Amino acid sequence: MTPRPSTFSIVARDPEQDAVGVAVQSKFVSVGSVVPFVSADAGAIATQSFANVAYGPDGLDLLREGRSAEEVVAELTDADDEAPSRQVGVVGADGSVAAFTGDECFDVAGDIQGEHYTVQGNILENEATLDAMAEAFETTDGGLPERLLAALHAGNDAGGDKRGEQSAAMYIAKPEGGYDGGNDRWVDVRVDDHDRPIDELERVFKLYDITLLERESPAETRSLSGETAEAVLETLSELGFYDGTPSDEFDDEAAEALESFRGMNNFENHSLSVLEDAIARGWDDVDGGETAGESETAGAGDPTGEPDGEARLIEAIWQGLSRLDRK
């Protein structure tokens, strides 16, 4: 019997960043290998519910030829005898939006379109899942990654997948957005099998963001000092990067410890002064080290499941960098 993944997804465009992307969650292993298809020169497609993966490359080719999202959906489904059991969402790089939910998709199934986005799902707990996703995408501040993640969280919290959680993925393309500008793969993160895949996807994305995505330079930077400096040095000491006695002064020895931490974690995308500034601004935004994306992995090494010092440092860096626009 063909597996019937219960899935909800959002396909969206950010005209300011010239980016298009898909975020998806499913009670299905490795949903990121099946549902999302994205190309900066064409658009983004989510194919699900007895997914026809040919919809991805074929649909992107049609978008490149100048078809609108509505025309792409019509051509794909008209040529498919199994279309009544399929679901697909399409957003073109031109801004067109369309979706299709076949009459034979398992309830609750449906789709909602708005400006620059479409949400769709099948085998959902309720219709509120899609409404919550649409509202979250429309009202969340931040860039396309934050808005896509917010939509997944909102859909899951409203009811989500009737069969539960297993995997999640987020794939966003923009021109020259990939590693060293060599391709359009701006954001490409996935969780293939996890008890809380959306939480874990957010944690992995934040690491990806700090490591691989560039931000505008800050107009001014802060230095670490006072209680925050002492807390950061205690953490760096626990992690084996600092041999001194933690104090409220972030001196040259402390900076060397932070430099070692930066190198070990491949955070060279940001200068040491920008990293220090980010921690200074973001440390207090991490509530006792507990974050919205906290997961078992974030708390590795801690039997209580709470995130360790490294997880708090990384979250503080991400929070501090978040005020800066991505390039």
Side-chain angles (χ1 to χ4, degrees), residues 64-88:
R64 290 188 189 96
E65 292 172 6
R67 309 290 209 288
S68 67
E70 295 87 349
E71 291 170 329
V72 169
V73 167
E75 290 198 37
L76 293 175
T77 55
D78 287 349
D80 183 2
D81 292 340
E82 301 298 323
S85 65
R86 316 284 196 200
Q87 193 170 45
V88 61

PDB file of all heavy atoms in Angstrom, residues 64-88:
ATOM      1  N   ARG A  64       9.045  28.693 -15.363  1.00  0.00           N
ATOM      2  CA  ARG A  64      10.131  29.337 -16.125  1.00  0.00           C
ATOM      3  C   ARG A  64       9.685  29.729 -17.527  1.00  0.00           C
ATOM      4  O   ARG A  64      10.191  30.691 -18.110  1.00  0.00           O
ATOM      5  CB  ARG A  64      11.337  28.397 -16.227  1.00  0.00           C
ATOM      6  CG  ARG A  64      12.078  28.178 -14.936  1.00  0.00           C
ATOM      7  CD  ARG A  64      13.365  27.410 -15.161  1.00  0.00           C
ATOM      8  NE  ARG A  64      13.954  27.026 -13.888  1.00  0.00           N
ATOM      9  CZ  ARG A  64      13.774  25.843 -13.309  1.00  0.00           C
ATOM     10  NH1 ARG A  64      13.043  24.924 -13.922  1.00  0.00           N
ATOM     11  NH2 ARG A  64      14.325  25.575 -12.156  1.00  0.00           N
ATOM     12  N   GLU A  65       8.742  28.955 -18.071  1.00  0.00           N
ATOM     13  CA  GLU A  65       8.232  29.256 -19.403  1.00  0.00           C
ATOM     14  C   GLU A  65       7.239  30.413 -19.401  1.00  0.00           C
ATOM     15  O   GLU A  65       6.764  30.817 -20.467  1.00  0.00           O
ATOM     16  CB  GLU A  65       7.568  28.009 -19.986  1.00  0.00           C
ATOM     17  CG  GLU A  65       8.552  26.882 -20.287  1.00  0.00           C
ATOM     18  CD  GLU A  65       7.849  25.591 -20.682  1.00  0.00           C
ATOM     19  OE1 GLU A  65       6.605  25.610 -20.834  1.00  0.00           O
ATOM     20  OE2 GLU A  65       8.531  24.562 -20.823  1.00  0.00           O
ATOM     21  N   GLY A  66       6.922  30.930 -18.219  1.00  0.00           N
ATOM     22  CA  GLY A  66       6.037  32.088 -18.142  1.00  0.00           C
ATOM     23  C   GLY A  66       4.617  31.790 -17.723  1.00  0.00           C
ATOM     24  O   GLY A  66       3.784  32.701 -17.697  1.00  0.00           O
ATOM     25  N   ARG A  67       4.330  30.529 -17.377  1.00  0.00           N
ATOM     26  CA  ARG A  67       2.986  30.199 -16.907  1.00  0.00           C
ATOM     27  C   ARG A  67       2.767  30.792 -15.525  1.00  0.00           C
ATOM     28  O   ARG A  67       3.673  30.869 -14.702  1.00  0.00           O
ATOM     29  CB  ARG A  67       2.765  28.693 -16.817  1.00  0.00           C
ATOM     30  CG  ARG A  67       3.108  27.906 -18.042  1.00  0.00           C
ATOM     31  CD  ARG A  67       2.155  28.125 -19.208  1.00  0.00           C
ATOM     32  NE  ARG A  67       2.093  26.941 -20.061  1.00  0.00           N
ATOM     33  CZ  ARG A  67       3.039  26.531 -20.878  1.00  0.00           C
ATOM     34  NH1 ARG A  67       4.176  27.216 -20.950  1.00  0.00           N
ATOM     35  NH2 ARG A  67       2.879  25.446 -21.631  1.00  0.00           N
ATOM     36  N   SER A  68       1.544  31.168 -15.227  1.00  0.00           N
ATOM     37  CA  SER A  68       1.188  31.629 -13.885  1.00  0.00           C
ATOM     38  C   SER A  68       1.006  30.416 -12.979  1.00  0.00           C
ATOM     39  O   SER A  68       0.896  29.269 -13.450  1.00  0.00           O
ATOM     40  CB  SER A  68      -0.115  32.423 -13.914  1.00  0.00           C
ATOM     41  OG  SER A  68      -1.207  31.573 -14.242  1.00  0.00           O
ATOM     42  N   ALA A  69       0.949  30.653 -11.678  1.00  0.00           N
ATOM     43  CA  ALA A  69       0.718  29.560 -10.737  1.00  0.00           C
ATOM     44  C   ALA A  69      -0.596  28.849 -11.042  1.00  0.00           C
ATOM     45  O   ALA A  69      -0.674  27.613 -10.987  1.00  0.00           O
ATOM     46  CB  ALA A  69       0.714  30.090  -9.309  1.00  0.00           C
ATOM     47  N   GLU A  70      -1.633  29.603 -11.372  1.00  0.00           N
ATOM     48  CA  GLU A  70      -2.931  28.995 -11.696  1.00  0.00           C
ATOM     49  C   GLU A  70      -2.822  28.087 -12.915  1.00  0.00           C
ATOM     50  O   GLU A  70      -3.364  26.971 -12.936  1.00  0.00           O
ATOM     51  CB  GLU A  70      -3.968  30.092 -11.962  1.00  0.00           C
ATOM     52  CG  GLU A  70      -4.309  30.957 -10.754  1.00  0.00           C
ATOM     53  CD  GLU A  70      -3.361  32.140 -10.590  1.00  0.00           C
ATOM     54  OE1 GLU A  70      -2.305  32.182 -11.285  1.00  0.00           O
ATOM     55  OE2 GLU A  70      -3.668  33.017  -9.761  1.00  0.00           O
ATOM     56  N   GLU A  71      -2.101  28.534 -13.927  1.00  0.00           N
ATOM     57  CA  GLU A  71      -1.924  27.725 -15.134  1.00  0.00           C
ATOM     58  C   GLU A  71      -1.102  26.474 -14.845  1.00  0.00           C
ATOM     59  O   GLU A  71      -1.382  25.390 -15.389  1.00  0.00           O
ATOM     60  CB  GLU A  71      -1.262  28.561 -16.226  1.00  0.00           C
ATOM     61  CG  GLU A  71      -2.163  29.667 -16.778  1.00  0.00           C
ATOM     62  CD  GLU A  71      -1.406  30.630 -17.670  1.00  0.00           C
ATOM     63  OE1 GLU A  71      -0.187  30.852 -17.445  1.00  0.00           O
ATOM     64  OE2 GLU A  71      -2.028  31.169 -18.604  1.00  0.00           O
ATOM     65  N   VAL A  72      -0.102  26.599 -13.990  1.00  0.00           N
ATOM     66  CA  VAL A  72       0.725  25.448 -13.634  1.00  0.00           C
ATOM     67  C   VAL A  72      -0.109  24.385 -12.928  1.00  0.00           C
ATOM     68  O   VAL A  72      -0.044  23.189 -13.259  1.00  0.00           O
ATOM     69  CB  VAL A  72       1.904  25.885 -12.748  1.00  0.00           C
ATOM     70  CG1 VAL A  72       2.613  24.663 -12.156  1.00  0.00           C
ATOM     71  CG2 VAL A  72       2.890  26.720 -13.548  1.00  0.00           C
ATOM     72  N   VAL A  73      -0.893  24.807 -11.941  1.00  0.00           N
ATOM     73  CA  VAL A  73      -1.740  23.856 -11.221  1.00  0.00           C
ATOM     74  C   VAL A  73      -2.689  23.147 -12.181  1.00  0.00           C
ATOM     75  O   VAL A  73      -2.870  21.920 -12.123  1.00  0.00           O
ATOM     76  CB  VAL A  73      -2.527  24.567 -10.097  1.00  0.00           C
ATOM     77  CG1 VAL A  73      -3.629  23.671  -9.551  1.00  0.00           C
ATOM     78  CG2 VAL A  73      -1.587  24.983  -8.971  1.00  0.00           C
ATOM     79  N   ALA A  74      -3.292  23.905 -13.082  1.00  0.00           N
ATOM     80  CA  ALA A  74      -4.236  23.314 -14.042  1.00  0.00           C
ATOM     81  C   ALA A  74      -3.547  22.303 -14.957  1.00  0.00           C
ATOM     82  O   ALA A  74      -4.071  21.199 -15.190  1.00  0.00           O
ATOM     83  CB  ALA A  74      -4.899  24.411 -14.865  1.00  0.00           C
ATOM     84  N   GLU A  75      -2.369  22.649 -15.480  1.00  0.00           N
ATOM     85  CA  GLU A  75      -1.676  21.744 -16.395  1.00  0.00           C
ATOM     86  C   GLU A  75      -1.211  20.472 -15.691  1.00  0.00           C
ATOM     87  O   GLU A  75      -1.318  19.368 -16.232  1.00  0.00           O
ATOM     88  CB  GLU A  75      -0.491  22.453 -17.042  1.00  0.00           C
ATOM     89  CG  GLU A  75      -0.901  23.543 -18.035  1.00  0.00           C
ATOM     90  CD  GLU A  75       0.230  23.921 -18.980  1.00  0.00           C
ATOM     91  OE1 GLU A  75       1.004  23.020 -19.387  1.00  0.00           O
ATOM     92  OE2 GLU A  75       0.339  25.110 -19.311  1.00  0.00           O
ATOM     93  N   LEU A  76      -0.710  20.615 -14.463  1.00  0.00           N
ATOM     94  CA  LEU A  76      -0.233  19.450 -13.731  1.00  0.00           C
ATOM     95  C   LEU A  76      -1.366  18.491 -13.403  1.00  0.00           C
ATOM     96  O   LEU A  76      -1.255  17.278 -13.588  1.00  0.00           O
ATOM     97  CB  LEU A  76       0.469  19.885 -12.437  1.00  0.00           C
ATOM     98  CG  LEU A  76       1.786  20.643 -12.580  1.00  0.00           C
ATOM     99  CD1 LEU A  76       2.275  21.107 -11.215  1.00  0.00           C
ATOM    100  CD2 LEU A  76       2.858  19.786 -13.251  1.00  0.00           C
ATOM    101  N   THR A  77      -2.463  19.029 -12.900  1.00  0.00           N
ATOM    102  CA  THR A  77      -3.552  18.157 -12.450  1.00  0.00           C
ATOM    103  C   THR A  77      -4.375  17.611 -13.615  1.00  0.00           C
ATOM    104  O   THR A  77      -4.864  16.481 -13.554  1.00  0.00           O
ATOM    105  CB  THR A  77      -4.462  18.899 -11.457  1.00  0.00           C
ATOM    106  OG1 THR A  77      -4.943  20.121 -12.055  1.00  0.00           O
ATOM    107  CG2 THR A  77      -3.697  19.239 -10.179  1.00  0.00           C
ATOM    108  N   ASP A  78      -4.527  18.398 -14.676  1.00  0.00           N
ATOM    109  CA  ASP A  78      -5.290  17.910 -15.840  1.00  0.00           C
ATOM    110  C   ASP A  78      -4.617  16.705 -16.486  1.00  0.00           C
ATOM    111  O   ASP A  78      -5.294  15.846 -17.071  1.00  0.00           O
ATOM    112  CB  ASP A  78      -5.445  19.025 -16.880  1.00  0.00           C
ATOM    113  CG  ASP A  78      -6.433  20.102 -16.456  1.00  0.00           C
ATOM    114  OD1 ASP A  78      -7.145  19.883 -15.457  1.00  0.00           O
ATOM    115  OD2 ASP A  78      -6.467  21.160 -17.113  1.00  0.00           O
ATOM    116  N   ALA A  79      -3.298  16.632 -16.404  1.00  0.00           N
ATOM    117  CA  ALA A  79      -2.552  15.548 -17.045  1.00  0.00           C
ATOM    118  C   ALA A  79      -2.348  14.342 -16.126  1.00  0.00           C
ATOM    119  O   ALA A  79      -1.684  13.382 -16.509  1.00  0.00           O
ATOM    120  CB  ALA A  79      -1.195  16.067 -17.509  1.00  0.00           C
ATOM    121  N   ASP A  80      -2.926  14.372 -14.933  1.00  0.00           N
ATOM    122  CA  ASP A  80      -2.681  13.346 -13.924  1.00  0.00           C
ATOM    123  C   ASP A  80      -3.978  12.618 -13.576  1.00  0.00           C
ATOM    124  O   ASP A  80      -4.890  13.195 -12.985  1.00  0.00           O
ATOM    125  CB  ASP A  80      -2.094  14.012 -12.675  1.00  0.00           C
ATOM    126  CG  ASP A  80      -1.724  13.021 -11.584  1.00  0.00           C
ATOM    127  OD1 ASP A  80      -1.880  11.803 -11.787  1.00  0.00           O
ATOM    128  OD2 ASP A  80      -1.270  13.482 -10.507  1.00  0.00           O
ATOM    129  N   ASP A  81      -4.070  11.331 -13.921  1.00  0.00           N
ATOM    130  CA  ASP A  81      -5.273  10.559 -13.631  1.00  0.00           C
ATOM    131  C   ASP A  81      -5.530  10.410 -12.132  1.00  0.00           C
ATOM    132  O   ASP A  81      -6.671  10.183 -11.712  1.00  0.00           O
ATOM    133  CB  ASP A  81      -5.171   9.159 -14.262  1.00  0.00           C
ATOM    134  CG  ASP A  81      -5.217   9.197 -15.777  1.00  0.00           C
ATOM    135  OD1 ASP A  81      -5.701  10.214 -16.323  1.00  0.00           O
ATOM    136  OD2 ASP A  81      -4.749   8.226 -16.410  1.00  0.00           O
ATOM    137  N   GLU A  82      -4.460  10.535 -11.321  1.00  0.00           N
ATOM    138  CA  GLU A  82      -4.596  10.389  -9.874  1.00  0.00           C
ATOM    139  C   GLU A  82      -4.753  11.740  -9.167  1.00  0.00           C
ATOM    140  O   GLU A  82      -4.668  11.808  -7.938  1.00  0.00           O
ATOM    141  CB  GLU A  82      -3.368   9.660  -9.312  1.00  0.00           C
ATOM    142  CG  GLU A  82      -3.143   8.272  -9.889  1.00  0.00           C
ATOM    143  CD  GLU A  82      -4.311   7.344  -9.569  1.00  0.00           C
ATOM    144  OE1 GLU A  82      -4.861   7.452  -8.454  1.00  0.00           O
ATOM    145  OE2 GLU A  82      -4.667   6.522 -10.439  1.00  0.00           O
ATOM    146  N   ALA A  83      -5.000  12.787  -9.917  1.00  0.00           N
ATOM    147  CA  ALA A  83      -5.114  14.127  -9.330  1.00  0.00           C
ATOM    148  C   ALA A  83      -6.121  14.220  -8.191  1.00  0.00           C
ATOM    149  O   ALA A  83      -5.892  14.973  -7.229  1.00  0.00           O
ATOM    150  CB  ALA A  83      -5.451  15.149 -10.417  1.00  0.00           C
ATOM    151  N   PRO A  84      -7.251  13.506  -8.232  1.00  0.00           N
ATOM    152  CA  PRO A  84      -8.208  13.616  -7.116  1.00  0.00           C
ATOM    153  C   PRO A  84      -7.629  13.260  -5.750  1.00  0.00           C
ATOM    154  O   PRO A  84      -8.176  13.687  -4.720  1.00  0.00           O
ATOM    155  CB  PRO A  84      -9.321  12.644  -7.521  1.00  0.00           C
ATOM    156  CG  PRO A  84      -9.284  12.635  -9.007  1.00  0.00           C
ATOM    157  CD  PRO A  84      -7.815  12.710  -9.345  1.00  0.00           C
ATOM    158  N   SER A  85      -6.529  12.507  -5.713  1.00  0.00           N
ATOM    159  CA  SER A  85      -5.915  12.157  -4.429  1.00  0.00           C
ATOM    160  C   SER A  85      -4.704  13.034  -4.115  1.00  0.00           C
ATOM    161  O   SER A  85      -4.046  12.830  -3.100  1.00  0.00           O
ATOM    162  CB  SER A  85      -5.484  10.690  -4.434  1.00  0.00           C
ATOM    163  OG  SER A  85      -4.449  10.462  -5.377  1.00  0.00           O
ATOM    164  N   ARG A  86      -4.426  14.001  -4.978  1.00  0.00           N
ATOM    165  CA  ARG A  86      -3.238  14.852  -4.806  1.00  0.00           C
ATOM    166  C   ARG A  86      -3.587  16.199  -4.159  1.00  0.00           C
ATOM    167  O   ARG A  86      -4.728  16.645  -4.162  1.00  0.00           O
ATOM    168  CB  ARG A  86      -2.595  15.171  -6.157  1.00  0.00           C
ATOM    169  CG  ARG A  86      -2.451  14.031  -7.123  1.00  0.00           C
ATOM    170  CD  ARG A  86      -1.328  13.107  -6.784  1.00  0.00           C
ATOM    171  NE  ARG A  86      -1.015  12.267  -7.937  1.00  0.00           N
ATOM    172  CZ  ARG A  86      -0.368  11.126  -7.872  1.00  0.00           C
ATOM    173  NH1 ARG A  86       0.061  10.667  -6.714  1.00  0.00           N
ATOM    174  NH2 ARG A  86      -0.128  10.423  -8.979  1.00  0.00           N
ATOM    175  N   GLN A  87      -2.499  16.840  -3.684  1.00  0.00           N
ATOM    176  CA  GLN A  87      -2.599  18.213  -3.200  1.00  0.00           C
ATOM    177  C   GLN A  87      -1.324  18.935  -3.613  1.00  0.00           C
ATOM    178  O   GLN A  87      -0.227  18.364  -3.546  1.00  0.00           O
ATOM    179  CB  GLN A  87      -2.752  18.231  -1.674  1.00  0.00           C
ATOM    180  CG  GLN A  87      -3.169  19.561  -1.086  1.00  0.00           C
ATOM    181  CD  GLN A  87      -3.531  19.438   0.385  1.00  0.00           C
ATOM    182  OE1 GLN A  87      -2.833  18.811   1.156  1.00  0.00           O
ATOM    183  NE2 GLN A  87      -4.646  20.036   0.773  1.00  0.00           N
ATOM    184  N   VAL A  88      -1.464  20.178  -4.067  1.00  0.00           N
ATOM    185  CA  VAL A  88      -0.289  20.925  -4.500  1.00  0.00           C
ATOM    186  C   VAL A  88      -0.517  22.414  -4.254  1.00  0.00           C
ATOM    187  O   VAL A  88      -1.630  22.919  -4.392  1.00  0.00           O
ATOM    188  CB  VAL A  88       0.019  20.663  -6.001  1.00  0.00           C
ATOM    189  CG1 VAL A  88      -1.124  21.095  -6.893  1.00  0.00           C
ATOM    190  CG2 VAL A  88       1.321  21.335  -6.432  1.00  0.00           C
TER     191      VAL A  88
END
